[in-house]
């Protein structure tokens, strides 16, 4: 009986030490995951701060808007900008910016585009009319 009791005590000791090692492994895994999450959080926070505190952002950025830009060479561009009610045509290239022309900015935004050839109907209305005509023409 003493051999059986000794064997049971040895099995319990082995199982307890194996469980302890598993617990230590889980603790190390948890610490690693926590540090990884903390590191990802710090990286995201730094990215947010860089975007938030970048130069040219804020109230003064609304005073300068790029209206149009067109490449005229490999490294040269013509850029049209609105600055505080003045429209500037700039030549950019070769590490330099040159003012090509300056005139007062128009009151209407440049995003409106030309009027449609079918009157003053917006594109969505003209598209709906074209769809209706196609459906009627396909059935008749």
């Amino acid at each position: 009986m003493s051999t059986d009791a000794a064997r049971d005590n040895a099995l319990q000791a082995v199982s307890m030490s194996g469980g302890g090692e598993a617990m230590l492994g889980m603790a190390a895994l948890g610490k690693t995951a926590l540090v990884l999450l903390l590191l990802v959080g710090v990286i995201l926070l730094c990215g947010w701060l860089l975007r938030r505190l970048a130069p040219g952002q804020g109230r003064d950025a609304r005073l300068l808007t790029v209206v149009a830009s067109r490449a005229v060479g490999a490294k040269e561009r013509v850029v049209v900008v609105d600055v505080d009610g003045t429209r500037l045509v700039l030549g950019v290239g070769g590490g330099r910016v040159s003012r090509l022309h300056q005139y007062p900015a128009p009151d209407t935004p440049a995003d409106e585009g030309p009027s449609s050839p079918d009157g003053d109907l917006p594109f969505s209305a003209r598209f709906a009319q074209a769809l209706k005509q196609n459906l009627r023409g396909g059935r008749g």
Side-chain angles (χ1 to χ4, degrees):
M1 209 42 153
S2 66
T3 58
D4 289 336
R7 188 171 33 122
D8 288 340
N9 286 340
L11 285 174
Q12 284 180 353
V14 168
S15 67
M16 291 295 250
S17 66
E21 289 176 13
M23 290 299 288
L24 286 176
M26 291 298 286
L29 183 64
K31 288 179 184 177
T32 303
L34 183 65
V35 168
L36 182 63
L37 286 174
L38 184 65
L39 185 62
V40 168
V42 167
I43 290 171
L44 291 175
L45 178 67
C46 287
W48 178 77
L49 283 174
L50 280 175
R51 277 182 285 157
R52 190 82 170 142
L53 301 175
Q57 302 293 327
R59 278 188 285 153
D60 295 335
R62 287 177 281 182
L63 297 176
L64 176 103
T65 55
V66 177
V67 176
S69 176
R70 178 70 52 127
V72 292
K75 294 182 179 180
E76 298 84 19
R77 300 186 75 77
V78 173
V79 180
V80 180
V81 295
D82 280 343
V83 180
D84 198 28
T86 303
R87 185 160 285 182
L88 299 172
V89 181
L90 304 173
V92 180
R96 294 183 49 168
V97 177
S98 304
R99 188 182 80 206
L100 303 176
H101 189 63
Q102 174 180 353
Y103 58 96
D107 293 333
T108 59
D111 296 339
E112 287 182 5
S115 62
S116 63
D118 295 336
D120 289 335
L121 292 176
F123 173 75
S124 58
R126 289 185 293 146
F127 186 65
Q129 285 178 351
L131 282 176
K132 287 178 186 176
Q133 286 177 346
N134 268 349
L135 289 176
R136 274 188 259 133
R139 289 183 184 168

